[in-house]
């Protein structure tokens, strides 16, 4: 079955700097890659997703890249703000269940 | 349009008791997923159901855990004879489409086993 690895597990960046979170997946049939944000004590919520027919997608300060050959994808957050502090999960799906990485706890330092 | 509703939000059980967690998906969604989240860990897939069918239960422990999604009513995750290691947050999510559409999560049910 699918296995998703996510790095780093914890990331601290200065406010205004960029943050990058990387994930790899094992199932070459996976074709959908969402990213979820979970604030403390809250539910995970989708922030951006990418499908295998594109290599990059951007939404304001957030961008995702996908390299199907290498089976890895990344989340980029630019101009980080205090409200970006949360746990971020990458995930992969080949059409049925969605498998998540273990998460990255992002701290935005003042 | 109400979101995914889970109850109870918090449940305390003693070892050996049963825990029943309920999930009502969003209106129009027929796909339900259950995930377990341990402190400081990720979302571990447990089971994927459609109405009256278990599609994939590869993440469910072989014993004591069961799930259903009846024709009428909420999906239920049942844990029999709970042990301390079952203490976790259990999240339900629903989607309109299978596997390649947005998952909408409930607020989670936090189970504590004494």
């Amino acid at each position: 079955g699918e296995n998703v690895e996510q790095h780093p597990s914890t990331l601290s960046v200065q406010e205004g700097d960029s943050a990058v979170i990387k994930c790899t997946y094992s199932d070459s049939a996976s074709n959908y890659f969402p990213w979820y944000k979970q604030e403390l004590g809250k539910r995970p919520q989708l922030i951006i997703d990418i499908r295998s027919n594109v290599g990059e997608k951007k939404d304001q300060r957030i961008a995702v890249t996908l390299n199907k050959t290498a089976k890895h994808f990344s989340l980029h957050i630019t101009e980080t703000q205090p409200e970006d502090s949360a746990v971020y999960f990458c995930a992969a799906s080949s059409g049925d269940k969605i498998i998540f990485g273990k998460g990255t706890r992002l701290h935005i330092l003042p | 349009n109400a979101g995914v509703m889970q109850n109870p939000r918090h449940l305390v059980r003693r070892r050996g008791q049963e825990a029943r967690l309920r999930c009502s998906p969003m209106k129009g969604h027929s796909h339900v997923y259950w995930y377990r989240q341990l402190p400081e860990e990720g979302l571990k897939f447990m089971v994927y159901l459609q109405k009256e069918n278990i599609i994939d239960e590869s993440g469910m422990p072989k014993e004591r855990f069961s799930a259903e999604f009846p024709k009428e009513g909420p999906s239920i995750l049942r844990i029999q004879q709970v042990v301390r290691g079952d203490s976790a947050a259990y999240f339900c999510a629903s989607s309109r489409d299978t596997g390649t559409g947005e998952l909408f999560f409930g607020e989670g049910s936090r189970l504590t086993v004494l």
Side-chain angles (χ1 to χ4, degrees):
Chain A
E2 177 64 276
N3 183 48
V4 178
E5 299 284 341
Q6 182 170 350
H7 301 280
S9 56
T10 305
L11 178 62
S12 296
V13 300
Q14 212 70 39
E15 182 178 347
D17 287 351
S18 295
V20 180
I21 301 170
K22 298 183 179 182
C23 290
T24 59
Y25 62 99
S26 61
D27 186 353
S28 56
S30 288
N31 56 9
Y32 175 63
F33 306 92
W35 287 86
Y36 284 76
K37 176 183 180 182
Q38 185 179 28
E39 296 178 5
L40 188 62
K42 300 286 184 66
R43 72 183 83 190
Q45 291 189 289
L46 180 73
I47 54 171
I48 195 166
D49 57 13
I50 190 168
R51 299 184 188 274
S52 57
N53 56 346
V54 297
E56 186 173 352
K57 183 177 178 180
K58 190 173 181 181
D59 182 4
Q60 299 183 345
R61 296 187 297 108
I62 294 174
V64 291
T65 59
L66 171 65
N67 182 327
K68 283 203 70 181
T69 303
K71 287 193 271 188
H72 68 70
F73 56 115
S74 301
L75 176 72
H76 304 250
I77 307 174
T78 59
E79 301 172 15
T80 52
Q81 300 170 3
E83 55 265 35
D84 295 330
S85 291
V87 178
Y88 292 81
F89 294 98
C90 63
S93 173
S94 59
D96 46 20
K97 59 183 182 269
I98 294 180
I99 301 300
F100 287 83
K102 290 196 172 182
T104 296
R105 184 173 298 279
L106 176 62
H107 299 277
I108 306 301
L109 306 172
Chain B
N1 186 11
V4 177
M5 303 300 291
Q6 285 189 252
N7 68 84
R9 293 288 312 280
H10 300 274
L11 182 63
V12 179
R13 285 287 178 265
R14 297 192 180 277
R15 280 179 298 170
Q17 291 184 320
E18 178 179 288
R20 281 188 181 231
L21 309 177
R22 290 175 290 276
C23 170
S24 296
M26 281 184 69
K27 188 176 179 180
H29 287 191
S30 59
H31 304 268
V32 167
Y33 306 79
W34 286 92
Y35 290 86
R36 177 161 67 177
Q37 186 172 40
L38 290 166
E40 305 302 315
E41 290 198 15
L43 295 157
K44 185 175 183 294
F45 169 79
M46 298 182 74
V47 62
Y48 162 38
L49 310 104
Q50 294 181 25
K51 283 284 187 183
E52 298 184 279
N53 283 305
I54 297 174
I55 307 302
D56 187 326
E57 56 181 350
S58 57
M60 289 276 272
K62 293 287 183 269
E63 296 177 348
R64 303 188 297 109
F65 284 72
S66 62
E68 63 176 8
F69 189 14
K71 187 176 180 181
E72 301 290 338
S75 174
I76 295 174
L77 179 66
R78 182 184 179 203
I79 311 172
Q80 295 178 288
Q81 300 173 336
V82 296
V83 301
R84 289 219 173 103
D86 297 333
S87 296
Y90 292 85
F91 283 93
C92 169
S94 73
S95 69
R96 186 183 302 276
D97 303 307
T98 176
T100 56
E102 180 176 357
L103 290 183
F104 292 84
F105 281 87
E107 294 282 6
S109 291
R110 281 156 181 82
L111 172 65
T112 302
V113 180
L114 302 178

